[in-house]
């Protein structure tokens, strides 16, 4: 089943430096989902209405991917470097049904 992982950064500006440090490890995990054919979409939420938010940072992230269960998706999210290193400070994991495309 598909699950939406939604991460929220309470203070996007403060998290920006830490995000840059742990981004390679985060991307490696997301790329592994992609290589396994399980990734639907992944990306950040800019803190401002711009594709390049600069010092405003990112308000969070969205990953939609296939996992065997809700608990597996929650465990994957909990182990993500953006979570363990404090880039995002709140994470929601919800079942997701893809309708289109």
């Amino acid at each position: 089943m598909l699950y939406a992982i939604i991460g929220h950064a309470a203070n996007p500006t403060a998290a920006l430096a830490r995000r840059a440090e742990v981004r390679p490890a985060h991307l490696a995990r997301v790329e592994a989902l992609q290589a396994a054919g399980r990734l639907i979409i992944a990306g950040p939420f800019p803190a401002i209405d711009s594709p390049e938010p600069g010092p405003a940072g990112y308000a969070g992230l969205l990953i939609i991917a296939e996992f065997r269960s809700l608990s597996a998706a929650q465990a994957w999210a909990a182990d993500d470097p953006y979570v363990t290193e404090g880039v995002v400070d709140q994470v929601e994991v919800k079942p997701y049904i893809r309708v289109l495309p």
Side-chain angles (χ1 to χ4, degrees):
M1 179 155 186
L2 296 177
Y3 295 89
I5 299 169
I6 306 157
H8 304 275
N11 188 336
T13 304
L16 197 56
R18 192 68 183 136
R19 179 184 184 275
E21 292 173 14
V22 299
R23 187 169 190 256
H26 164 75
L27 287 179
R29 295 183 84 238
V30 176
E31 289 166 351
L33 289 175
Q34 183 177 23
R38 296 170 42 203
L39 182 66
I40 302 301
I41 195 165
F45 296 119
I48 60 173
D49 188 12
S50 172
E52 296 294 333
Y58 296 90
L61 62 89
L62 171 66
I63 298 169
I64 299 176
E66 182 180 348
F67 292 91
R68 62 178 161 69
S69 65
L70 176 60
S71 61
Q74 290 168 328
W76 188 94
D79 287 341
D80 188 78
Y82 278 3
V83 174
T84 61
E85 299 299 321
V87 175
V88 296
D89 38 23
Q90 180 188 0
V91 178
E92 299 174 74
V93 180
K94 300 179 178 189
Y96 178 80
I97 298 173
R98 183 177 181 170
V99 175
L100 294 171

